[in-house]
Amino acid sequence: ENVISINTLMDQEEVARQFKKYDFTAMPVVDNENRLVGIITVDDIVDIIEEETTEDMEKMAAIVPSDKPYMKTGVFETFKKRIPWLLLLMVSATFTGAIISSFEDALSVCAVLVAYIPMLMDTGGNAGSQASVTVIRGLSLNEIEYRDVPKVIFKEIRVALMCGITLSAANFVKLLILDRVGVLVAASVCLTLVAAVVIAMIIGCLLPVLAKRLGFDPAVMASPFITTIVDALSLLVYFRVASAIMGL
């Protein structure tokens, strides 16, 4: 039969990987004296996978993981699971407000720049989330190792440039034809868009790897942290580019 004995304590993900790798249907568990103390079956692995997937999804949504079903979790308990991250992210978002305030004079000269801040921040955040989710999945499946980091960064930079240039080209036409803004404003927005996508994807692929290297769950470094960091950097790039191009 497809069975294997384990004498050391293995985490749940490692057990699941062993089942997948060797197509096991059962795995006996023995103590230090090789005496049978239990059996892990495929049904157990399915439960483990479900629990791990749910936990990762909650972490990626900035929620403290819960071991209870949604309908059996009370309102106050749900509140306690969500509020810590919301408070942390709210405080971290003050950095973006400080950046906007520091460029208040430039914005007063060209107020139209404000209208494109949400688009730049959202696009950067989305790009970073795409990169992070891909890398997190690769890490969990052992498809990505630490030695692969340079290759991952090089790949994400190329993907980011292709995505950024495509988005900027489409946006440039939209800004000139539909929004009827000046060429300098359109150039500022589109150049920032390329930079924001590149920065976001680099951060999105690096943070999960760094988290795992430090012993943290890579899922924690998904969209919440990445979005906050990318938002701040995108604003800095945006105002610097606009100031250089438009002489603000």
Side-chain angles (χ1 to χ4, degrees), residues 1-247:
E1 297 182 7
N2 292 330
V3 297
I4 187 172
S5 298
I6 56 174
N7 295 296
T8 58
L9 183 61
M10 305 168 66
D11 63 30
Q12 293 181 337
E13 290 186 0
E14 180 60 28
V15 173
R17 281 195 289 266
Q18 293 295 325
F19 266 77
K20 179 182 178 181
K21 182 177 180 179
Y22 298 107
D23 291 327
F24 291 143
T25 58
M27 179 183 289
V29 181
V30 299
D31 58 18
N32 293 331
E33 297 180 1
N34 289 327
R35 292 178 298 189
L36 183 67
V37 295
I39 297 176
I40 300 175
T41 65
V42 172
D43 290 338
D44 297 325
I45 296 303
V46 172
D47 293 337
I48 290 174
I49 294 174
E50 181 179 343
E51 291 174 2
E52 291 292 331
T53 301
T54 301
E55 181 179 332
D56 286 346
M57 291 176 64
E58 289 175 333
K59 288 180 178 179
M60 293 172 70
I63 301 174
V64 177
S66 173
D67 56 357
K68 294 182 181 180
Y70 175 79
M71 296 305 296
K72 293 184 179 180
T73 305
V75 173
F76 186 69
E77 187 174 355
T78 302
F79 159 78
K80 290 193 298 181
K81 298 291 185 182
R82 299 182 183 182
I83 196 61
W85 277 103
L86 290 176
L87 286 171
L88 177 61
L89 294 174
M90 181 187 69
V91 172
S92 63
T94 58
F95 290 109
T96 59
I99 294 172
I100 293 176
S101 298
S102 64
F103 287 92
E104 185 176 354
D105 293 338
L107 292 175
S108 62
V109 174
C110 188
V112 70
L113 293 174
V114 179
Y116 302 105
I117 290 177
M119 182 271 293
L120 292 170
M121 295 171 64
D122 289 346
T123 302
N126 292 336
S129 296
Q130 287 181 339
S132 68
V133 169
T134 303
V135 171
I136 289 171
R137 187 59 178 167
L139 290 171
S140 65
L141 296 177
N142 288 330
E143 296 175 350
I144 299 176
E145 303 291 342
Y146 299 124
R147 64 176 180 272
D148 297 324
V149 171
K151 295 180 181 179
V152 172
I153 295 176
F154 184 51
K155 178 179 180 179
E156 289 297 330
I157 289 176
R158 287 180 291 169
V159 173
L161 287 173
M162 294 173 66
C163 291
I165 292 173
T166 301
L167 291 170
S168 295
N171 196 43
F172 190 79
V173 175
K174 178 253 186 187
L175 290 172
L176 294 181
I177 297 178
L178 298 181
D179 296 352
R180 298 183 182 280
V181 300
V183 175
L184 294 181
V185 173
S188 300
V189 173
C190 292
L191 287 175
T192 303
L193 189 58
V194 175
V197 172
V198 172
I199 293 171
M201 288 193 178
I202 292 176
I203 293 175
C205 71
L206 278 180
L207 281 184
V209 176
L210 179 61
K212 186 173 183 179
R213 188 68 172 178
L214 296 176
F216 297 107
D217 190 333
V220 177
M221 293 296 180
S223 54
F225 274 128
I226 292 173
T227 300
T228 302
I229 295 173
V230 170
D231 286 350
L233 293 178
S234 296
L235 283 175
L236 282 173
V237 172
Y238 184 35
F239 293 130
R240 293 297 182 187
V241 170
S243 296
I245 293 179
M246 304 178 65

